[in-house]
Amino acid sequence: FLQGRHLVRQGSRESMLRAIEVFEQALAIDPNYAPAWNGIGTAYTNLAGSNAIPQAEGYATAKEMAEKALSVDPESAQSYVGLGWLARVDGDYETAARHIEQALKLAPNDDKVLNAAAVLLGDLLRPEEDLRIQKLLVERDPVNPSAYHNMGVVFYSLGNMDAAVASFDKALTLSPDMILAGWWRAYLHCVQKEYQTCLDAYASVAELAGNEAARLLGEAIALHGMGREEDSASALATLESDHFETF
């Protein structure tokens, strides 16, 4: 289980797929081990959120895993976190808040529970409170790349570009193939008008994720910034014709 959790935190496509295998091995030993069911759910949630697998498929599987974990352990805080996160993805913040509130009652000091609560605070336009918790989580676990990624997202929402870049760079130093941090860093290169670097970064992370649609999207953004309007429009046209349902 600990090996699987470490692999999920690395955030690469390969590490998350390997984590699923490891959690399945744990379940072969004990089918009623709720943390392993939740671990599989987290891996599928992250794969879907990274555009490394089809989102509908990934999120549906993640929900199934969280519900299975609850069936074997009705007091599994991680299961409520998973269900809350999925409700948030659907835009159902009332349900998300209800699940995360339950998770906080069960495990008020758990890092994953606190992160879920922090992200929800950000969604509810309370980013300063979100950032306070994210900084605490980085202090608690300074070698966790996911913690730096999460903090970077909040810094970006607050308009602190330098801190956001530093946070994503730290996440990628700890886990060079982390897809979510890679997407963000590629995008921020474009925001900073580093268009060629942006173009290269999108291509690199798209290869890691196995996602041609995301590469085309990044290409369209970067080429537009370079003033290459026809090439940008061509990338968008290909994206629309070949990958209409991806996003």
Side-chain angles (χ1 to χ4, degrees):
F1 169 76
L2 293 176
Q3 181 186 0
R5 185 175 65 177
H6 172 74
L7 288 165
V8 168
R9 284 171 29 161
Q10 297 309 298
S12 73
R13 187 174 190 274
E14 290 73 17
S15 70
M16 289 186 282
L17 291 174
R18 175 59 183 150
I20 292 170
E21 295 178 358
V22 171
F23 288 132
E24 287 174 343
Q25 291 170 8
L27 290 170
I29 299 171
D30 182 1
N32 292 322
Y33 189 53
W37 289 110
N38 285 320
I40 295 173
T42 299
Y44 273 106
T45 295
N46 291 353
L47 284 165
S50 303
N51 289 310
I53 61 173
Q55 290 192 341
E57 171 190 323
Y59 290 138
T61 302
K63 183 177 182 180
E64 180 183 345
M65 296 301 101
E67 290 173 344
K68 176 63 178 178
L70 271 182
S71 74
V72 299
D73 181 4
E75 295 191 352
S76 169
Q78 300 299 325
S79 301
Y80 286 106
V81 167
L83 292 172
W85 195 271
L86 293 167
R88 172 183 170 269
V89 169
D90 287 338
D92 185 353
Y93 294 105
E94 182 178 349
T95 299
R98 186 170 67 252
H99 285 311
I100 292 170
E101 182 179 8
Q102 181 62 24
L104 283 166
K105 289 179 180 178
L106 292 167
N109 294 312
D110 180 87
D111 284 4
K112 190 172 179 181
V113 173
L114 288 173
N115 173 63
V119 171
L120 185 62
L121 286 170
D123 291 336
L124 299 176
L125 303 180
R126 295 161 64 181
E128 291 82 5
E129 295 171 75
D130 184 357
L131 182 60
R132 178 178 59 81
I133 298 173
Q134 298 297 356
K135 285 182 174 179
L136 172 64
L137 295 176
V138 166
E139 291 175 4
R140 283 188 177 186
D141 192 354
V143 295
N144 181 358
S146 295
Y148 288 98
H149 163 269
N150 296 335
M151 188 166 67
V153 174
V154 186
F155 275 129
Y156 175 78
S157 73
L158 288 168
N160 191 336
M161 195 65 61
D162 290 341
V165 167
S167 297
F168 292 126
D169 282 347
K170 180 64 174 180
L172 290 168
T173 297
L174 292 167
S175 182
D177 293 341
M178 185 179 187
I179 298 172
L180 284 173
W183 289 133
W184 271 100
R185 195 62 186 94
Y187 169 69
L188 291 183
H189 281 303
C190 276
V191 172
Q192 295 173 304
K193 299 183 179 181
E194 301 165 352
Y195 296 118
Q196 185 59 53
T197 305
C198 172
L199 187 65
D200 295 340
Y202 264 109
S204 177
V205 73
E207 183 176 357
L208 288 173
N211 190 314
E212 176 67 8
R215 183 193 67 78
L216 287 166
L217 179 62
E219 185 175 295
I221 296 170
L223 292 173
H224 174 76
M226 293 175 179
R228 295 167 55 182
E229 300 298 342
E230 289 187 5
D231 292 334
S232 176
S234 176
L236 282 175
T238 303
L239 178 64
E240 182 177 6
S241 63
D242 296 354
H243 305 280
F244 179 76
E245 296 182 355
T246 299
F247 294 97

